[in-house]
Short mmCIF file of all heavy atoms in Angstrom, two decimals:
data_model
loop_
_atom_site.label_atom_id
_atom_site.label_comp_id
_atom_site.label_asym_id
_atom_site.label_seq_id
_atom_site.Cartn_x
_atom_site.Cartn_y
_atom_site.Cartn_z
N ALA A 17 -85.28 -16.47 -34.14
CA ALA A 17 -85.70 -15.59 -33.14
C ALA A 17 -86.82 -14.68 -33.76
O ALA A 17 -87.86 -14.38 -33.10
CB ALA A 17 -84.58 -14.83 -32.57
N TYR A 19 -88.67 -15.13 -36.30
CA TYR A 19 -89.89 -15.86 -36.61
C TYR A 19 -90.76 -16.10 -35.36
O TYR A 19 -91.98 -15.89 -35.34
CB TYR A 19 -89.46 -17.23 -37.26
CG TYR A 19 -90.56 -18.04 -37.85
CD1 TYR A 19 -90.72 -18.15 -39.17
CD2 TYR A 19 -91.51 -18.73 -36.91
CE1 TYR A 19 -91.70 -18.98 -39.76
CE2 TYR A 19 -92.48 -19.51 -37.50
CZ TYR A 19 -92.59 -19.60 -38.91
OH TYR A 19 -93.56 -20.39 -39.39
N ASP A 47 -107.65 -10.79 -44.03
CA ASP A 47 -109.07 -10.84 -43.95
C ASP A 47 -109.56 -11.07 -42.56
O ASP A 47 -108.83 -11.72 -41.72
CB ASP A 47 -109.62 -12.02 -44.80
CG ASP A 47 -109.17 -11.88 -46.25
OD1 ASP A 47 -108.60 -10.76 -46.67
OD2 ASP A 47 -109.35 -12.86 -47.10
N ALA A 67 -92.12 -11.26 -41.14
CA ALA A 67 -91.27 -12.31 -40.50
C ALA A 67 -91.01 -13.42 -41.47
O ALA A 67 -89.89 -13.91 -41.53
CB ALA A 67 -91.80 -12.78 -39.13
N ARG A 90 -68.45 -34.14 -51.81
CA ARG A 90 -68.65 -33.90 -53.15
C ARG A 90 -70.15 -33.79 -53.42
O ARG A 90 -70.98 -34.77 -53.15
CB ARG A 90 -67.98 -34.92 -53.99
CG ARG A 90 -67.98 -34.61 -55.47
CD ARG A 90 -67.50 -35.77 -56.24
NE ARG A 90 -66.17 -36.09 -55.99
CZ ARG A 90 -65.08 -35.50 -56.47
NH1 ARG A 90 -65.26 -34.48 -57.43
NH2 ARG A 90 -63.89 -35.75 -56.16
N ASN A 119 -107.58 -15.04 -51.36
CA ASN A 119 -106.64 -15.76 -52.28
C ASN A 119 -107.21 -17.00 -52.72
O ASN A 119 -106.83 -17.54 -53.85
CB ASN A 119 -105.31 -15.92 -51.65
CG ASN A 119 -104.56 -14.60 -51.68
OD1 ASN A 119 -104.86 -13.72 -52.44
ND2 ASN A 119 -103.60 -14.49 -50.86
N ALA A 120 -108.20 -17.65 -51.86
CA ALA A 120 -108.80 -18.80 -52.32
C ALA A 120 -109.75 -18.55 -53.53
O ALA A 120 -109.92 -19.29 -54.44
CB ALA A 120 -109.58 -19.51 -51.21
N LEU A 124 -104.90 -17.44 -56.05
CA LEU A 124 -103.48 -17.22 -55.61
C LEU A 124 -103.17 -18.01 -54.40
O LEU A 124 -101.94 -18.14 -54.00
CB LEU A 124 -103.28 -15.67 -55.26
CG LEU A 124 -103.36 -14.77 -56.47
CD1 LEU A 124 -103.14 -13.35 -55.98
CD2 LEU A 124 -102.16 -15.06 -57.42
N MET A 134 -92.86 -26.09 -50.15
CA MET A 134 -91.42 -25.83 -50.40
C MET A 134 -90.63 -25.49 -49.16
O MET A 134 -89.56 -26.15 -48.90
CB MET A 134 -91.18 -24.67 -51.37
CG MET A 134 -91.65 -24.94 -52.84
SD MET A 134 -91.88 -23.40 -53.82
CE MET A 134 -90.14 -22.90 -53.90
N ARG A 223 -56.93 -20.48 -27.14
CA ARG A 223 -55.85 -19.85 -27.89
C ARG A 223 -55.26 -18.70 -27.09
O ARG A 223 -54.09 -18.42 -27.06
CB ARG A 223 -56.31 -19.37 -29.26
CG ARG A 223 -56.55 -20.38 -30.24
CD ARG A 223 -56.56 -19.88 -31.62
NE ARG A 223 -57.73 -18.91 -31.78
CZ ARG A 223 -58.90 -19.22 -32.20
NH1 ARG A 223 -59.24 -20.56 -32.49
NH2 ARG A 223 -59.87 -18.45 -32.30
#
Side-chain angles (χ1 to χ4, degrees):
Y19 189 109
D47 302 351
R90 185 185 301 274
N119 281 340
L124 291 177
M134 291 168 62
R223 287 195 298 270

